[in-house]
Every structure is written in C-alpha cells, then in structure tokens.
Amino acid sequence: MKLKRVLTLAVLALQPAFVFGIGSVYVTGHDADWHAQEGGSGALGAQHINQAAMNYVWANGANSYYSAHGIHKFLYVGDDGYQGLDSQPGSPGVTLSGYSLGTDFDVATSANIATLLPGLGTVYSGLWVASSSSELSQGLLDTLIANKLFIAHFVNTGGGIYAGAEGQYGISANPYGYIPGINSAVAFGQGEGTITVTAFGSGLGLTNSDVNANFSHNIFLKPDGLNIVDTDGAGDIISLAGRGTFGDTTITGTPAPGAAVTMMVGVIGGYLRRRQK
C-alpha cells in the first residue's frame, strides 16, 4: 500500500507543469516583433522566434489559464510612439507572426495600460512585452516594474511572459525589472550571423537560420535560473526560457523532464531500499 502511494506521488510529480500552476518565461535579445515585418528570410526567422516563444509560454498545456480556464488571449505591451533611431510599432509584426489583433491579443500603451494590465489572469493568459525598438517606452517599462509583484503572481499561478530585446532605444538600466530574477541583461547590439541554437532551443522548434539574418540588441551574462536558447559566436547568451516559480528577486526553475524522472526514480529507489532493511 505504501509503495502504491509513493508511485502515485511519482505520477503526479511528472504531470505537466500547469497542474501545479507553474508559469513560463521567455526573454530574448532579438527584437523579433520588429523584424517580423521587414520582409525576406530575416522576417520569416523572426516570425518563427515569436511563434516558438509564444508556444512555450502561451500554448495549451503550457499555460494553466489557457489549459484549465480557457482564457486564450494575450496582452501585448508596446506601440507607445516613436522612441528614436528606427523604432516602429511592433503589433504588425505580432500579426504577421500569426496572431489576430482583438481576437488573440490586445495592445497596451500608456493610454490604456492601467486599464488592461489588471486583466492578467482573467482576460489574458499571456503577456508579450515589446522590444524597445517596437516602441516599449520607458513609461510603459516603469509601469510594468511598479507591478512586478502582480506580474510574478500571474506567472506563479500559471501565466506566461515573452519579452523582447530591451537593450537600446532609450530604455534605462534594469530593462527586465518586472520579471524577478532576470538581472544580468546588458545592452549589446550586433548583427546576427554567428548565433547558434542550443539543444534546448532546437527542442522549441528553432533553427540556426531562424536566429540569424537580423540584428540583436542585448545579451545575458548568466542563465538567471533559466535554460539557454541560443548564443552568439563569443558564447554570449542571446535568449533564455524556463518554467518555475518567482520570488522577489529569484527564479526557482523546475527540473527538465529527464531530470524529473531521474529524481523520482531516486526517491522510489531510496524508499524501497529502506523497506528492505
């Protein structure tokens, strides 16, 4: 009977993360919302990045608000007016990546973010934060940071966040300050030509051709508790993704499926050895 109970716990522990309300985060130095609308092979690759990121944080089975409650809409925060250099609205790139404005997503600008942001978890199952080149203003970023505990709760109860490159275009320090634990981002602009996806990134459906042919704007100095998606030729981290729970300043990641199996086999084995003594 006790063994049956242990096996039952093992099965429960290996269920998809949304059963436990664990959320998903994908952060990247690519401004794929901007490049998705630029035409050519670079645009196609950028669209694939957007799709892979949203599939990871927002798809049925990955997002408890979507899976358990049927909330299938995300909030895109951006389009807040010209930010300098060659910034432009990012929502057309979101649409070209396969998502319909008004049906799949709404756009939050300075004019309406105070009204729309509280809808995380009731109206919206995902949060997509624009790259700064896609008109994420400092004001919008400050609003997100001011609500970081609310956003952390949204993730900890099964929501998903996809955040684009925030390294340039007038954004100040702490560009991912609304995501507790993401604190190693550094502005670094470079042409995409030597970027390579990791095994984890490949598992998300990304290829090397997807993550090259455009321009990226920041790197991460360490994994910050997440999985590395792609790196540049110098080994700098371009994108991170993971599932877990968020404290005030840290991320506690969940084990990868293989690690979870190994851990649970160890638990069961230890129990059986104690029973035999």
Side-chain angles (χ1 to χ4, degrees), residues 54-201:
M54 290 304 290
N55 282 341
Y56 186 75
V57 306
W58 189 60
N60 189 14
N63 183 298
S64 70
Y65 289 111
Y66 180 8
S67 305
H69 306 293
I71 303 171
H72 191 212
K73 198 174 192 180
F74 63 86
L75 183 64
Y76 179 76
V77 180
D79 287 13
D80 208 35
Y82 184 64
Q83 301 298 307
L85 298 178
D86 55 353
S87 74
Q88 63 183 356
S91 58
V94 177
T95 299
L96 288 169
S97 297
Y99 307 101
S100 299
L101 178 62
T103 300
D104 296 319
F105 73 99
D106 293 328
V107 177
T109 67
S110 291
N112 62 3
I113 190 169
T115 300
L116 297 182
L117 190 64
L120 293 180
T122 54
V123 179
Y124 307 109
S125 53
L127 175 65
W128 181 340
V129 179
S131 59
S132 50
S133 58
S134 293
E135 300 184 353
L136 179 75
S137 66
Q138 185 65 49
L140 283 175
L141 178 59
D142 290 343
T143 298
L144 293 173
I145 293 174
N147 288 277
K148 69 177 183 179
L149 294 181
F150 171 67
I151 292 171
H153 175 75
F154 168 69
V155 174
N156 289 344
T157 49
I161 299 176
Y162 170 35
E166 312 301 0
Q168 298 174 309
Y169 295 85
I171 294 297
S172 68
N174 198 25
Y176 299 101
Y178 55 93
I179 309 177
I182 304 296
N183 51 29
S184 71
V186 175
F188 187 73
Q190 61 178 320
E192 299 172 353
T194 63
I195 298 175
T196 304
V197 298
T198 64
F200 179 85

Side-chain angles (χ1 to χ4, degrees), residues 259-274:
V261 172
T262 301
M263 177 180 67
M264 195 51 58
V265 168
V267 170
I268 296 171
Y271 176 83
L272 294 177
R273 285 193 295 273
R274 290 195 299 273

Side-chain angles (χ1 to χ4, degrees), residues 164-271:
E166 312 301 0
Q168 298 174 309
Y169 295 85
I171 294 297
S172 68
N174 198 25
Y176 299 101
Y178 55 93
I179 309 177
I182 304 296
N183 51 29
S184 71
V186 175
F188 187 73
Q190 61 178 320
E192 299 172 353
T194 63
I195 298 175
T196 304
V197 298
T198 64
F200 179 85
S202 178
L204 299 182
L206 291 171
T207 66
N208 289 340
S209 61
D210 291 331
V211 297
N212 286 286
N214 289 310
F215 204 87
S216 61
H217 298 277
N218 67 262
I219 59 175
F220 300 90
L221 300 181
K222 55 188 177 69
D224 287 333
L226 303 176
N227 304 288
I228 299 173
V229 176
D230 56 346
T231 60
D232 65 16
D236 299 315
I237 301 168
I238 303 295
S239 308
L240 294 165
R243 297 192 171 108
T245 54
F246 292 73
D248 290 342
T249 59
T250 59
I251 300 172
T252 303
T254 57
V261 172
T262 301
M263 177 180 67
M264 195 51 58
V265 168
V267 170
I268 296 171
Y271 176 83

